[in-house]
Every structure is written in C-alpha cells, then in structure tokens.
Amino acid sequence: MEFANTPSFFRHGPSPAARLTVCVLLSLSLLVADSRFGLMERAREAMSVVLYPLQRAANLPVSAVRHLSDFFVAQATLKEENDALKNHALAQKAEIDRLRAAQADLAELRKTHALSASLGGGGQIAEVLYTGRDPFSHKIIVDKGEDAGLSRGQPVTDDGGLVGQVTRVQPLSAEVTLVTDKHQMVPVMLERTGVRAILYGYGGGVELRYLPMGADIRPGDRLLTSGIDGVYPSGLPVARVERVDRTSSNAFVRAITRPLGGLDHGRFVLVLPVRSVPPPPPPAVPAPQTKAGK
Amino acid sequence: MSLDHPQELLKPVSLRFVWLTLAIALLLELVPLPVGRARFMPDFVGLLVLYWAINQPRLVGVGTAFTAGLIADIATAGLFGQHALAYSATCYLAQYRQRQLVMLGLGQQSLVVLGLMLCNQAIMVLARMATGAAFVGFAYFLPPIIGALLWPLLTKLMLLPYRRG
C-alpha cells in the first residue's frame, strides 16, 4: 500500500502494510503467549522497577491534594467529629466498666468453685443479696434457702476464710450470721502451736478471750477452725492475730484479730454441709427399767 | 502541520517531543482515580498515537504505535499485546487516509477519531474475549466519545510549543 504522491526517491523502508502485518503478527503471538504462559507476570516484574518512578510521579499530585484538603478541614467538621468521638469513648468506657465488673465476678466465682472442690465438693455456691439493715446485727442474706436444701447451722465460707453460719432459712433466701456478730463463737486453734481457743465476735470484729497470760501467741498467727464442735469442718482459716495485749491489770491475754473471710466484700459465698450428725444420744437403757418399774 | 492555520509555518517536531508527550499521557493514565470514575478516562496514549500518526506520519508509524501499545500494556496491566494490536491497526487505518484527514476541519477529524478509537476498543474487547474474558458491558465504549470530544483541545495544545513567536 503506497501513499499517494510519495516521492519515490525517499527511502521509506518496508511499506506500511508490511509493517502492519509484522506488528499484528507480533502482537497476536504476544497475546497468545500471555494468555497461555503468563508472560505478562514476568514482564511486569521486570518493568515495575522502571515504571515505579512514573507511578510515584502520577501519585504525587493526588496525595498533595489529599494533604491539602486534610489541612483545610472545617472547624465545624472537627467539632462534630470530636463530639462524636467523645460520645463514643464514653459509651465504650461504660462498656469496659461493665466488663471489668463481670470479670471480677467471674474470678470470684472461680475461686469459690475451686474452694468447693477442695472441700470435697459438698458446698453450694450462693450469692449475697444484701446485708442486714440493722447495724447492730452482723448478718447477710444470700439467695439460696429452703429451695436449695439449706438448713440452720451450716457454715458459710468464701475463698478467704470463714464468713459465718446460716442462722435462719427462708423459702428462697437464708440469713447468715457473720463471725463478727456478738452472739457468734467459733472454736479455733492456733495454726502454729495447735493451742485451742474460742473466737468471740464482739460486733465490730473478733477477738480471742480467756487465753492464759503465758499463752504462746504472736501477731501474725493464723487461726483455723479446730473442728471439735461438729459444725465447722476443721482447718478453715478464720482470722489472723493483729495485736496481743498483755497488760498486768488483766488476768488474761487479749488478742485482737481480723477475720479473713470477705465479710464486707465479695459477692459469692460457699455454704458447706454440716460436717457430721450430732453425737448419738446415750443408749436407751432406762426404757425397760421404767417398764419393769411400772 | 494542521491546516487550521494553513499560512502558518511551524517549527519542526522532534521525535523526542513525541515520546515526551506519550510519557505524559502514560502518566495521566497512571493517576489513581476512584474506581467508578476511572472507566470514563479516555485512552490518552491511544489519542496521542493517533494525533502523531495523522499529523507527523514521517515520525510516527505503525512501529511506534506498536511500541507505545506495548508500554501501555505493561502500565495498565492488561493482556500483553492488546493495546499494541489495537494501536498498530488504527494507526495503519489513519495513515492509509492520512492526506485526506489532514485536510479535514477539527470537527470532522473528531468524528474520524471517534471511529478509530471505537475501533481500538473493539479490537481490545475482541482480544480479551478471544482469550476467555467475559464481556465488560457497553460502558467500555464511552471513553472514545470523551476522547473524540477532547480532540480539538488536544490539537490546539500540541501546536502551542511549535508556533513561531
């Protein structure tokens, strides 16, 4: 295909039609090669290095415009966004607080459950509903009662130590008298020496009374239940000795102790079964005698 | 050499300038655009190849179109050879009637360019479909229309550096 009025004395090389044929054949073979053998992948790998500066240059105005528009954000937009973010943060804070409380509950439940397992699995986990309203009586109300088979006299403990004793059972709840209550006494022994004593509640705390002047007791000693009363299982931690008063005006040593159980904190307690049945009544020997007497 | 200003004598165009304009066109195609808008971008490289093929047939021929097409293939991550095939074919078509095309006014040239660009797209669609791709929809034929509308502007722009002051 020759162009019209092309002077023949110029050298043109191959005619446009020939060039077109060559180019078309070339590109067709490239197309086939690419679709069959993935030629493009390798070519791009090699050419991407060359093209990279070009791409960066093409990106330059766009990123510059973006920076600029970032810089000139309207005050109102910022304010709005800030408010929204603050609200969001507040909502999330509340959520986190809730989560934290739930986590603490879970940890406490786990500990209580572990304690129940270590005591032979006989206990029942109960949740503290509320504390007694009367400030003079040290009692808490738990969410299990007759429905769960609770009965008076059962010891109540938590992961720290002895809490108290079930003293009244209602259909759906039970009243637990804390060891600090004035009428509550716990037979204990000193962990270090094995000396037995009785721990008295006095309203605000617990104390050891009637220990002889020479008793071996020091601050830091731990008091465990001795288990000789048949109510409390032996070996439950009850209190720790805080201070020992040996004044000559008193006939006995006075030891101020601090209860170890969570009396005023914690949400879950473990109600233990009464350890043993009361000692059997004396044998009924007199019965035939009375009969005989009549 | 546009006959828009027949009496005007222009400076000779260097091959280096041709390649510079092609590089700028390639740069324009690489500008990152939002996904929806990128498909309305006319094929600047194809447009420029046609421009040079019509206005400087001595400098730009089928071979140059083929090379530019290869580079466009690599830059746009298309199929290897699709742009090359399309550009060399339309370049040949344009140069077959180059003497007549140069005589036409800008409006008529635009119409011819529209046809050539549509031809470009058709060849590329055929090449893709022949290698197993699905048809991409008729929106693919929108860029040639925009490109044809831009043709007079492009012509004026390209003449600017070659006016004698």
Side-chain angles (χ1 to χ4, degrees):
Chain A
M1 209 50 73
E2 208 59 34
F3 288 130
N5 64 2
T6 307
S8 56
F9 45 81
F10 278 115
R11 294 197 57 178
H12 278 293
S15 71
R19 286 189 210 180
L20 176 71
T21 319
V22 170
C23 287
V24 165
L25 286 179
L26 250 178
S27 41
L28 281 181
S29 55
L30 274 177
L31 273 172
V32 172
D34 186 22
S35 58
R36 283 292 144 88
F37 311 117
L39 190 64
M40 189 56 140
E41 302 302 320
R42 265 163 267 163
R44 267 191 80 82
E45 268 172 33
M47 288 300 289
S48 62
V49 183
V50 184
L51 275 176
Y52 182 71
L54 263 184
Q55 275 170 338
R56 283 306 293 262
N59 260 313
L60 211 63
V62 174
S63 54
V65 165
R66 199 170 293 150
H67 278 302
L68 212 63
S69 66
D70 275 354
F71 188 72
F72 288 114
V73 183
Q75 166 78 11
T77 319
L78 273 182
K79 179 90 177 62
E80 207 171 284
E81 204 173 74
N82 202 0
D83 284 351
L85 282 177
K86 265 184 193 154
N87 276 341
H88 192 61
L90 212 62
Q92 280 197 335
K93 175 107 176 36
E95 189 76 3
I96 285 172
D97 284 348
R98 225 160 48 81
L99 199 69
R100 238 177 235 156
Q103 254 175 354
D105 276 1
L106 184 68
E108 203 183 330
L109 263 177
R110 281 231 174 92
K111 271 195 244 162
T112 315
H113 187 256
L115 179 70
S116 155
S118 74
L119 289 173
Q124 281 175 312
I125 293 174
E127 189 179 351
V128 176
L129 286 181
Y130 54 92
T131 55
R133 199 176 297 151
D134 181 10
F136 296 104
S137 68
H138 293 259
K139 289 181 173 126
I140 56 176
I141 314 296
V142 297
D143 70 339
K144 289 222 164 70
E146 270 169 18
D147 59 328
L150 258 56
S151 60
R152 285 174 59 183
Q154 283 187 288
V156 177
T157 180
D158 70 0
D159 56 303
L162 189 70
V163 170
Q165 197 175 13
V166 176
T167 47
R168 193 174 296 161
V169 181
Q170 281 120 10
L172 292 174
S173 60
E175 191 183 279
V176 175
T177 303
L178 303 178
V179 287
T180 49
D181 190 86
K182 219 178 107 190
H183 304 296
Q184 198 67 15
M185 282 155 268
V186 185
V188 296
M189 64 182 192
L190 276 163
E191 190 183 27
R192 188 166 52 86
T193 58
V195 169
R196 281 191 295 273
I198 294 183
L199 192 72
Y200 289 82
Y202 64 88
V206 283
E207 62 177 353
L208 281 176
R209 293 178 196 161
Y210 314 125
L211 274 178
M213 265 322 236
D216 180 11
I217 179 168
R218 301 176 200 157
D221 280 350
R222 225 156 60 120
L223 300 171
L224 310 180
T225 50
S226 57
I228 54 172
D229 53 349
V231 173
Y232 299 110
S234 62
L236 279 181
V238 182
R240 187 183 295 281
V241 177
E242 295 267 286
R243 192 155 51 85
V244 180
D245 280 350
R246 293 180 206 268
T247 45
S248 52
S249 60
N250 284 345
F252 302 102
V253 174
R254 192 155 164 269
I256 307 297
T257 62
R258 199 161 52 83
L260 289 170
L263 303 184
D264 49 0
H265 59 267
R267 278 188 57 195
F268 297 99
V269 293
L270 185 66
V271 183
L272 299 175
V274 174
R275 190 169 58 100
S276 59
V277 290
V285 266
Q289 279 181 350
T290 44
K291 242 179 197 172
K294 272 183 183 175
Chain B
M1 289 239 202
S2 163
L3 295 207
D4 205 20
H5 297 79
Q7 60 275 65
E8 204 173 25
L9 271 180
L10 298 170
K11 288 183 211 164
V13 175
S14 73
L15 195 59
R16 205 178 294 165
F17 181 69
V18 172
W19 281 109
L20 179 70
T21 55
L22 284 176
I24 292 172
L26 205 63
L27 214 65
L28 274 176
E29 291 204 348
L30 289 178
V31 167
L33 283 179
V35 177
R37 250 169 269 169
R39 54 162 66 164
F40 297 115
M41 282 282 278
D43 183 0
F44 287 116
V45 178
L47 215 55
L48 266 171
V49 165
L50 281 183
Y51 174 82
W52 290 124
I54 290 171
N55 290 298
Q56 297 288 332
R58 294 283 170 89
L59 287 179
V60 175
V62 176
T64 316
F66 178 78
T67 318
L70 275 189
I71 296 171
D73 278 333
I74 294 167
T76 57
L79 205 57
F80 221 160
Q82 65 170 33
H83 284 89
L85 180 62
Y87 290 174
S88 32
T90 49
C91 179
Y92 175 77
L93 285 179
Q95 291 198 330
Y96 183 52
R97 296 283 177 172
Q98 189 263 340
R99 298 282 163 184
Q100 291 162 358
L101 286 182
V102 174
M103 304 284 282
L104 297 175
L106 282 182
Q108 287 167 309
Q109 266 187 9
S110 295
L111 279 178
V112 174
V113 166
L114 173 64
L116 289 173
M117 296 290 280
L118 283 173
C119 207
N120 257 349
Q121 301 293 87
I123 290 172
M124 285 196 266
V125 164
L126 284 179
R128 290 314 281 262
M129 282 167 74
T131 52
F135 185 59
V136 285
F138 285 101
Y140 192 62
F141 292 97
L142 198 61
I145 298 171
I146 299 169
L149 288 176
L150 284 177
W151 178 260
L153 189 68
L154 179 78
T155 307
K156 298 278 183 198
L157 204 69
M158 285 295 146
L159 282 176
L160 272 187
Y162 286 92
R163 291 250 162 83
R164 281 176 205 270

